[in-house]
């Protein structure tokens, strides 16, 4: 059965044990990339040959709606997400991240956050971008697929 992106959420943890969900997620990036081709053709080959290289996932950029930051956090939900992410960015600490999908699967990784308010136009909702520099392997957590 096909799925909607509804109920997808991004969580972070400072130590990998207690997780907090960031409020306002609007979009998420491709979670992986094609490996580059590395040419390994030698003088005896009849055609070009390649092996897969090391994929460059790049920075993972997540889109969020900016809020007025007046709602209190509830449970593990960080409502004042921009302010919290700005605090974490300024701390410079590597964090644990997990992008959770509605079917129970997820990707997890470690990295440092950068956060900034996006440009806007008249009548648009304010948004910001969270960019996480990948500092570990991007792990697929298959769940019950």
């Amino acid at each position: 059965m096909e799925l909607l992106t509804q109920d997808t959420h991004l969580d972070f943890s400072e130590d990998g044990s207690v997780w907090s969900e960031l409020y306002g997620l609007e979009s998420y990036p491709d979670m992986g990339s094609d490996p580059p081709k590395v040419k390994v053709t030698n003088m005896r080959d009849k055609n070009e040959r390649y092996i897969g290289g090391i994929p460059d996932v790049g920075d993972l950029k997540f889109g969020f709606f900016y809020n007025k930051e007046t709602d209190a956090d509830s449970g593990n939900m960080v409502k004042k997400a921009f302010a919290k992410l700005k605090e974490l960015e300024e701390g410079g600490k590597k964090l644990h991240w997990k992008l959770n999908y509605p079917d129970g699967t997820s990707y997890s990784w470690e990295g440092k956050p950068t956060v900034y308010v996006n440009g806007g136009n008249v009548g648009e909702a304010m948004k910001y971008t969270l960019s996480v520099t990948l500092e570990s392997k991007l792990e697929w957590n298959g769940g019950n697929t």
Side-chain angles (χ1 to χ4, degrees), residues 66-140:
Y66 187 88
N67 63 11
K68 290 173 49 175
E69 302 178 1
T70 57
D71 293 333
D73 294 347
S74 59
N76 71 335
M77 174 75 70
V78 178
K79 294 281 188 138
K80 301 174 184 180
F82 183 83
K84 180 63 176 178
L85 288 167
K86 209 51 160 158
E87 173 189 316
L88 293 168
E89 173 188 359
E90 291 169 2
K93 184 178 174 187
K94 180 168 60 172
L95 302 169
H96 301 265
W97 300 91
K98 190 184 295 185
L99 181 63
N100 301 281
Y101 297 108
D103 64 353
T105 62
S106 64
Y107 277 99
S108 58
W109 68 97
E110 294 179 24
K112 293 180 183 171
T114 301
V115 63
Y116 54 89
V117 176
N118 298 6
N121 293 297
V122 173
E124 289 184 337
M126 285 185 66
K127 298 179 183 181
Y128 66 91
T129 297
L130 164 64
S131 180
V132 181
T133 302
L134 191 64
E135 295 189 21
S136 71
K137 183 178 178 184
L138 191 58
E139 296 280 346
W140 168 249

Side-chain angles (χ1 to χ4, degrees), residues 5-12 19-26 28 62 64 76-77 97-102 104-107 109:
T5 56
Q6 181 180 5
D7 294 325
T8 299
H9 57 96
L10 181 63
D11 300 351
F12 73 94
W19 293 88
S20 297
E21 179 181 342
L22 294 166
Y23 177 78
L25 181 65
E26 181 213 12
Y28 55 87
F62 299 86
F64 286 85
N76 71 335
M77 174 75 70
W97 300 91
K98 190 184 295 185
L99 181 63
N100 301 281
Y101 297 108
T105 62
S106 64
Y107 277 99
W109 68 97

Side-chain angles (χ1 to χ4, degrees), residues 24-37:
L25 181 65
E26 181 213 12
S27 64
Y28 55 87
D30 292 343
M31 299 302 291
S33 67
D34 294 329
K37 294 190 317 185

